[in-house]
């Protein structure tokens, strides 16, 4: 897919939306340094181009209920297109699987699974295995603590700015 051609104002709009979610016409225009009408026209163009997939709230789930987060790597027995399609179709309908990426290398998929308990996770895995999806092996990694979660710095990525070194840790 060809990357969209965006100028600096488009990037500012996307960054503002990524950081703050859906904003009023006047607030967005103020944040990105444009007047309301051209800002809204750009926003409409960005939406029409499919660059904005939605607006979401970042909810602190751990403050609502106890959760178990498990990272699961999966390798399939066979690597035919139909095997991948069957696995992906099944996983796409599992609400407990919040992320699933296809990978190259030793494992075929890496999934993030969130359940209310480890027994609930085990029940889910049994259901997935019983579905006969052609899983050869899987490995589970129980998350004990979230160190970092975020979105990429769009302005830096698009602008080609070099990565800033992490601050030195003093003893």
């Amino acid at each position: 897919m060809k990357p969209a051609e965006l100028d600096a104002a488009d990037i500012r709009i996307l960054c503002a939306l990524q950081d703050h979610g859906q904003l009023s016409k006047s607030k967005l225009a103020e944040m990105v340094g444009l007047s309301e009408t051209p800002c809204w026209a750009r926003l409409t163009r960005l939406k029409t181009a499919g660059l904005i997939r939605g607006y979401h709230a970042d909810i602190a789930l751990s403050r609502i209920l106890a959760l178990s987060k498990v990272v699961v790597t999966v390798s399939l027995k066979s690597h035919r297109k139909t095997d991948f399609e069957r696995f992906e179709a099944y996983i796409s309908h599992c609400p407990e699987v919040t992320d699933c990426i296809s990978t190259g290398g030793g494992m075929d998929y890496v999934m993030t699974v969130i359940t209310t308990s480890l027994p609930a996770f085990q029940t889910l895995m049994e259901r997935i295995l019983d579905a006969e999806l052609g899983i050869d092996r899987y490995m589970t990694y129980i998350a004990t603590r979230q160190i970092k979660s975020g979105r990429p710095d769009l302005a830096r990525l698009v602008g080609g700015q070099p990565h800033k070194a992490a601050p030195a840790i003093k003893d």
Side-chain angles (χ1 to χ4, degrees), residues 68-74 107 109-113 118 121 138-144:
S68 293
K69 184 175 190 177
V70 182
V71 175
V72 182
T73 59
V74 176
M107 290 291 165
Y109 296 96
V110 178
M111 305 185 305
T112 302
V113 179
L118 290 177
F121 167 75
Y138 70 96
M139 300 282 292
T140 59
Y141 305 89
I142 299 169
T144 57

Side-chain angles (χ1 to χ4, degrees), residues 56-149:
H56 312 279
D58 186 8
I59 298 170
L61 287 175
S62 63
R63 296 187 67 182
I64 299 170
L65 71 160
L67 298 171
S68 293
K69 184 175 190 177
V70 182
V71 175
V72 182
T73 59
V74 176
S75 179
L76 300 181
K77 292 176 189 172
S78 179
H79 293 101
R80 296 172 302 186
K81 182 179 179 190
T82 56
D83 298 313
F84 291 118
E85 289 172 345
R86 183 174 63 243
F87 179 84
E88 292 169 16
Y90 187 89
I91 292 302
S92 69
H93 291 92
C94 290
E96 301 92 343
V97 179
T98 59
D99 291 293
C100 181
I101 60 171
S102 174
T103 61
M107 290 291 165
D108 297 315
Y109 296 96
V110 178
M111 305 185 305
T112 302
V113 179
I114 297 179
T115 58
T116 55
S117 66
L118 290 177
F121 167 75
Q122 185 59 40
T123 299
L124 171 69
M125 287 309 299
E126 289 168 4
R127 198 170 72 232
I128 290 172
L129 293 170
D130 288 344
E132 298 186 20
L133 301 173
I135 295 174
D136 181 36
R137 67 186 183 282
Y138 70 96
M139 300 282 292
T140 59
Y141 305 89
I142 299 169
T144 57
R145 188 168 65 102
Q146 183 82 37
I147 306 303
K148 182 177 180 182
S149 177

Side-chain angles (χ1 to χ4, degrees), residues 14-75:
L14 293 173
C15 288
L17 295 174
Q18 185 178 32
D19 289 343
H20 303 285
Q22 194 167 9
L23 298 164
S24 70
K25 188 186 296 190
S26 60
K27 185 65 175 173
L28 180 60
E30 177 187 327
M31 289 179 79
V32 300
L34 294 172
S35 61
E36 288 184 25
T37 302
C39 181
W40 211 251
R42 284 175 176 268
L43 177 60
T44 301
R45 181 176 48 81
L46 294 169
K47 285 180 180 179
T48 302
L51 300 179
I52 300 166
R53 293 190 295 210
Y55 301 93
H56 312 279
D58 186 8
I59 298 170
L61 287 175
S62 63
R63 296 187 67 182
I64 299 170
L65 71 160
L67 298 171
S68 293
K69 184 175 190 177
V70 182
V71 175
V72 182
T73 59
V74 176
S75 179

Side-chain angles (χ1 to χ4, degrees), residues 11 15 18-19 150-162 164:
I11 298 300
C15 288
Q18 185 178 32
D19 289 343
R151 298 170 302 273
D153 182 344
L154 178 62
R156 186 181 66 76
L157 289 173
V158 172
Q161 300 169 4
K164 293 179 183 175

